[in-house]
C-alpha cells in the first residue's frame, strides 16, 4: 500500500487508548492525514490506564495537536457498568443484545465534540474505530447510525465545513483488526481493552474476550499482560 503524501489534510481521531481506535488513527496517518488526537475522560473504570495509553500512542504517532476532554456528567448519568461501580462488569462471555457495559449515546456525544474540534481546526475527516460485526452489540457502533451523524454534523456546521466520518474498521472482525495493525506496525503493546482492570487485563470481560479471540484467530500473541 503506497503512502500518500499530503500534509495539508487533517483528521480528528477519537482515540480511547484501545486497539480499534489506535489502528484507525494509524490508518489516517498512513493515508497522509495530520492526526489531531481526541481523548475523553468520562469517569470510566479504567480511566487512568486509558489516558496513559492515549498519551503513549500520541508519542508513537508524533501527534502535534491533541485534546483531552473531561465529561464527568457520564458518572452522574450512570446506567452503565463502565461508569457506575454498583453495576458489575459481566465476565460470563459475550451474550446477545445490548450489554450493561453500553454507555448511553456515548459515541453520539463523542462525535458531537469531535465535530466542534474538526470545525475549529479545519479538519475534513473525523475518524472513529467503531466495529459493527464483531463488537459487543452497541447500537452507536452501527454504520447506518454513524452515517446519520455525519449528515447531522454537516447540517449543523458552517456551509463551508464539510466533514466526513471515516470508520475504516466497521466491517472487520477482531482477527482482521489485529492483522491490519501488524501490517501498519501499530504498537499494540501500548493499547488497552479491559473494562475492569488497570494493571493486568482481566481476560474475561467482553472486551478482553473479543480482543484475545482476535489475536488467537490471527495466530499471534497479545503483547499486553493478563491476570
Amino acid at each position: 500500500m503506497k503512502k500518500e503524501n499530503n500534509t495539508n489534510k487533517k483528521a480528528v481521531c477519537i482515540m480511547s487508548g484501545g486497539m480499534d481506535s489506535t489502528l484507525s488513527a494509524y490508518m489516517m496517518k498512513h493515508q497522509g492525514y495530520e492526526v489531531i488526537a481526541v481523548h475523553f475522560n468520562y469517569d470510566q473504570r479504567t480511566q487512568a490506564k486509558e489516558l496513559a495509553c492515549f498519551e503513549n500512542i500520541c508519542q508513537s504517532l508524533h501527534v502535534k495537536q491533541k485534546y483531552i476532554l473531561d465529561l464527568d456528567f457520564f458518572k452522574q448519568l450512570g446506567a452503565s457498568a463502565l461508569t457506575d461501580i454498583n453495576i458489575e462488569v459481566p465476565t460470563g462471555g459475550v451474550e446477545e443484545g445490548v450489554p450493561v457495559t453500553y454507555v448511553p449515546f456515548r459515541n453520539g456525544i463523542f462525535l458531537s465534540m469531535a465535530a466542534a474540534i474538526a470545525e475549529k481546526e479545519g479538519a475534513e475527516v473525523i475518524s472513529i474505530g467503531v466495529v459493527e460485526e464483531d463488537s459487543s452489540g452497541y447500537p452507536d457502533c452501527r454504520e447506518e447510525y454513524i452515517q446519520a451523524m455525519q449528515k447531522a454534523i454537516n447540517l449543523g456546521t458552517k456551509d463551508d465545513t464539510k466533514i466526513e466520518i471515516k470508520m475504516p474498521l466497521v466491517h472487520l472482525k477482531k482477527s482482521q483488526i489485529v492483522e491490519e495493525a501488524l501490517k501498519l506496525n501499530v504498537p499494540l503493546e501500548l493499547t488497552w481493552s479491559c473494562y475492569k482492570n488497570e494493571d493486568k487485563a482481566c481476560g474475561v470481560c467482553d472486551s478482553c474476550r473479543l480482543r484475545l479471540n482476535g489475536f488467537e484467530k490471527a495466530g499471534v500473541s497479545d503483547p499486553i499482560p493478563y491476570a
Side-chain angles (χ1 to χ4, degrees), residues 54-72:
F54 168 77
E55 294 282 13
N56 289 333
I57 292 157
C58 282
Q59 280 189 352
S60 171
L61 274 168
H62 305 293
V63 167
K64 294 175 190 166
Q65 179 71 291
K66 66 185 175 187
Y67 292 82
I68 298 166
L69 303 179
D70 294 320
L71 306 179
D72 56 359

Side-chain angles (χ1 to χ4, degrees), residues 176-208:
Q176 294 172 307
I177 289 167
V178 172
E179 288 161 3
E180 286 299 314
L182 293 172
K183 280 183 205 169
L184 290 182
N185 294 315
V186 176
L188 293 173
E189 70 278 4
L190 300 181
T191 66
W192 197 253
S193 302
C194 185
Y195 286 154
K196 281 168 65 74
N197 299 344
E198 293 186 305
D199 49 354
K200 290 184 177 180
C202 73
V204 289
C205 70
D206 287 2
S207 187
C208 279

Side-chain angles (χ1 to χ4, degrees), residues 5-224:
N5 286 312
N6 180 351
T7 52
N8 297 324
K9 54 185 189 174
K10 299 176 181 178
V12 173
C13 298
I14 298 172
M15 295 165 59
S16 66
M19 186 164 68
D20 302 345
S21 61
T22 301
L23 172 58
S24 295
Y26 268 80
M27 289 169 96
M28 293 304 103
K29 184 167 186 181
H30 190 78
Q31 290 169 26
Y33 290 95
E34 177 192 334
V35 170
I36 298 168
V38 181
H39 181 78
F40 298 101
N41 294 322
Y42 55 100
D43 278 321
Q44 67 273 39
R45 286 173 186 260
T46 54
Q47 177 170 294
K49 180 67 175 181
E50 288 179 30
L51 179 58
C53 289
F54 168 77
E55 294 282 13
N56 289 333
I57 292 157
C58 282
Q59 280 189 352
S60 171
L61 274 168
H62 305 293
V63 167
K64 294 175 190 166
Q65 179 71 291
K66 66 185 175 187
Y67 292 82
I68 298 166
L69 303 179
D70 294 320
L71 306 179
D72 56 359
F73 62 83
F74 272 111
K75 186 164 192 174
Q76 193 178 343
L77 211 67
S80 168
L82 299 193
T83 55
D84 185 343
I85 57 169
N86 297 312
I87 303 173
E88 284 293 318
V89 173
T91 56
V94 182
E95 296 177 358
E96 288 293 314
V98 179
V100 295
T101 50
Y102 166 64
V103 180
F105 207 62
R106 178 180 61 182
N107 283 344
I109 293 163
F110 287 2
L111 285 167
S112 298
M113 306 288 279
I117 293 168
E119 187 163 40
K120 176 209 164 186
E121 295 282 354
E124 60 200 72
V125 162
I126 295 170
S127 145
I128 186 167
V130 292
V131 182
E132 195 173 79
E133 291 180 332
D134 198 23
S135 71
S136 296
Y138 297 152
D140 58 352
C141 288
R142 290 180 292 204
E143 181 178 32
E144 183 183 19
Y145 165 68
I146 304 293
Q147 287 169 342
M149 277 298 289
Q150 177 179 300
K151 186 176 180 183
I153 284 166
N154 284 307
L155 282 170
T157 47
K158 292 179 293 189
D159 287 347
D160 59 349
T161 300
K162 298 283 186 289
I163 295 170
E164 179 188 0
I165 303 178
K166 288 184 180 274
M167 37 183 163
L169 316 184
V170 72
H171 294 307
L172 298 186
K173 298 197 178 299
K174 269 288 192 278
S175 56
Q176 294 172 307
I177 289 167
V178 172
E179 288 161 3
E180 286 299 314
L182 293 172
K183 280 183 205 169
L184 290 182
N185 294 315
V186 176
L188 293 173
E189 70 278 4
L190 300 181
T191 66
W192 197 253
S193 302
C194 185
Y195 286 154
K196 281 168 65 74
N197 299 344
E198 293 186 305
D199 49 354
K200 290 184 177 180
C202 73
V204 289
C205 70
D206 287 2
S207 187
C208 279
R209 286 176 188 272
L210 288 166
R211 177 176 172 132
L212 284 168
N213 189 47
F215 273 93
E216 187 181 350
K217 286 187 173 171
V220 289
S221 296
D222 189 345
I224 69 165

